[in-house]
């Protein structure tokens, strides 16, 4: 939005011909910003949703990821999140960014680009956000941690305090019951499980808050790449359970953070 457009809106609010809410809607729905011929950045997403646009790294080249990051960073965007970013592509992306206009020095670049290998998430221009409420991220097994950490880090970036409860699958139910007090005061619970996905139904029958099931592609042949866990969670006999797609820790993290935010009255 150009300065004269903003001035026009402010003048209309001052004159009483437009309400502040109408002006904000106009600002939020402004056109996006083109980057080359491959991206159209939604720079107002943080106004609408509380978090800037997230870059899905899988399927994009390092040059494309770097171009989007550079454009967003030059506009002062904080907590730019890149999901499904392999270690190799992260290194290539950093090499492209090295010496760019957005990061003038090597020290600035190293401080501005952090990477978590487990979740395969990169965060550019990290900025600490105030944490509110509580979300619990529960994983059935250690093999589910990449998806669980994707959910946990996402929820944290969206302003939620996250408690991690890992390796508590139903093959050893006592482990989950031992950690039940940690779950009882959560505003939402993300339950991550592969194999047959039974953990979601068990948790759904024990707590009062919403439970978000995340089936993972972890499992043997008849698991069908997570389809068995997905169908099991969709057919859960526990009420108050919703389910995201296979391995979609990011989607679960965003949903849980929104539930938490509303529960905290924001």
């Amino acid at each position: 939005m150009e300065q004269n457009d903003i001035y026009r809106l402010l003048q209309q609010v001052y004159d009483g011909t437009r309400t502040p809410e109408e002006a904000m809607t106009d600002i939020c729905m402004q056109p996006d910003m083109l980057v080359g011929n491959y991206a159209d950045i939604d720079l107002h997403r943080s106004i609408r949703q509380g978090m800037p646009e997230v870059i899905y790294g899988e399927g994009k080249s390092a040059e494309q990821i770097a171009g989007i990051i550079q454009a967003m960073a030059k506009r002062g965007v904080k907590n730019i999140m890149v999901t499904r970013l392999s270690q190799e592509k992260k290194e290539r992306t950093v090499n492209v960014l090295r010496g760019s206009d957005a990061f003038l020095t090597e020290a600035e670049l190293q401080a501005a680009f952090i990477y978590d290998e487990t979740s395969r998430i990169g965060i550019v221009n990290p900025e600490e956000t105030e944490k509110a409420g509580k979300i619990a991220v529960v994983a059935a097994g250690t093999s589910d941690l990449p998806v669980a950490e994707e959910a946990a880090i996402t929820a944290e970036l969206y302003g939620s305090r996250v408690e991690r409860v890992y390796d508590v699958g139903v093959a050893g139910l006592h482990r989950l019951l031992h950690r039940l007090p940690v779950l009882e005061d959560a505003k939402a619970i993300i339950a991550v499980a592969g194999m047959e996905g039974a953990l979601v139904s068990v948790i759904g029958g024990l707590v009062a808050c919403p439970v978000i099931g995340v089936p993972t592609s972890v499992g043997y042949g008849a698991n069908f790449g997570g389809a068995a866990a997905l169908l099991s969670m969709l057919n859960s006999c526990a009420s108050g359970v919703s389910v995201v797609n296979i391995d979609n820790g990011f989607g679960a993290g965003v949903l849980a953070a929104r539930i938490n935010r509303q529960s905290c009255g924001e």
Side-chain angles (χ1 to χ4, degrees):
M1 175 174 279
E2 301 295 333
Q3 282 189 341
N4 59 334
D5 295 325
I6 296 176
Y7 179 82
R8 174 180 53 81
L9 282 173
L10 292 175
Q11 187 65 50
Q12 290 172 340
V13 173
Y14 179 78
D15 294 339
T17 58
R18 180 168 294 196
T19 67
E21 292 76 15
E22 290 171 339
M24 181 59 73
T25 298
D26 199 16
I27 291 172
C28 293
M29 298 304 293
Q30 286 302 304
D32 305 329
M33 188 181 78
L34 292 171
V35 180
N37 61 354
Y38 56 84
D40 198 350
I41 303 173
D42 181 2
L43 289 173
H44 291 105
R45 188 170 301 183
S46 59
I47 299 175
R48 299 194 312 272
Q49 300 184 346
M51 189 70 183
E53 181 171 2
V54 174
I55 304 168
Y56 181 70
E58 213 163 63
K60 291 183 178 67
S61 68
E63 290 74 19
Q64 290 169 339
I65 295 172
I68 298 169
I69 288 174
Q70 184 175 359
M72 295 176 75
K74 288 175 72 174
R75 297 292 289 268
V77 179
K78 302 295 184 181
N79 286 330
I80 304 169
M81 185 176 178
V82 188
T83 63
R84 301 300 168 93
L85 183 66
S86 67
Q87 178 73 49
E88 179 187 4
K89 191 177 291 186
K90 178 261 182 181
E91 296 298 335
R92 296 205 312 267
T93 301
V94 169
N95 286 334
V96 175
L97 288 172
R98 190 167 278 117
S100 70
D101 293 338
F103 307 100
L104 299 178
T105 69
E106 182 68 21
E108 287 177 333
L109 177 58
Q110 293 301 324
F113 199 133
I114 61 176
Y115 179 72
D116 181 75
E117 188 173 355
T118 301
S119 63
R120 295 187 296 162
I121 286 177
I123 303 171
V124 183
N125 282 348
E127 182 178 64
E128 185 63 30
T129 56
E130 185 177 349
K131 304 296 190 294
K134 174 183 168 182
I135 291 170
V137 178
V138 185
T142 305
S143 298
D144 299 308
L145 291 192
V147 177
E149 275 301 298
E150 183 179 68
I153 291 174
T154 298
E156 287 174 335
L157 280 177
Y158 274 80
S160 294
R161 182 167 60 90
V162 174
E163 186 93 24
R164 292 162 170 82
V165 180
Y166 290 166
D167 197 23
V168 290
V170 298
L173 190 58
H174 61 286
R175 299 174 300 183
L176 176 64
L177 298 177
H178 179 67
R179 304 296 299 277
L180 191 57
V182 178
L183 309 182
E184 289 176 333
D185 63 342
K187 304 296 185 182
I189 295 173
I190 299 172
V192 184
M195 300 292 185
E196 84 294 351
L199 179 67
V200 171
S201 289
V202 173
I203 293 177
L206 292 172
V207 299
C209 68
V211 177
I212 303 166
V214 187
T216 70
S217 51
V218 172
Y220 297 104
N223 174 263
F224 299 113
L230 172 64
L231 292 174
S232 176
M233 292 180 187
L234 288 173
N235 286 285
S236 174
C237 62
S239 57
V241 171
S242 63
V243 185
V244 298
N245 211 341
I246 299 168
D247 292 336
N248 188 12
F250 169 75
V254 173
L255 178 57
R258 290 183 178 179
I259 293 171
N260 180 45
R261 184 182 300 170
Q262 289 194 337
S263 298
C264 294
E266 295 185 14

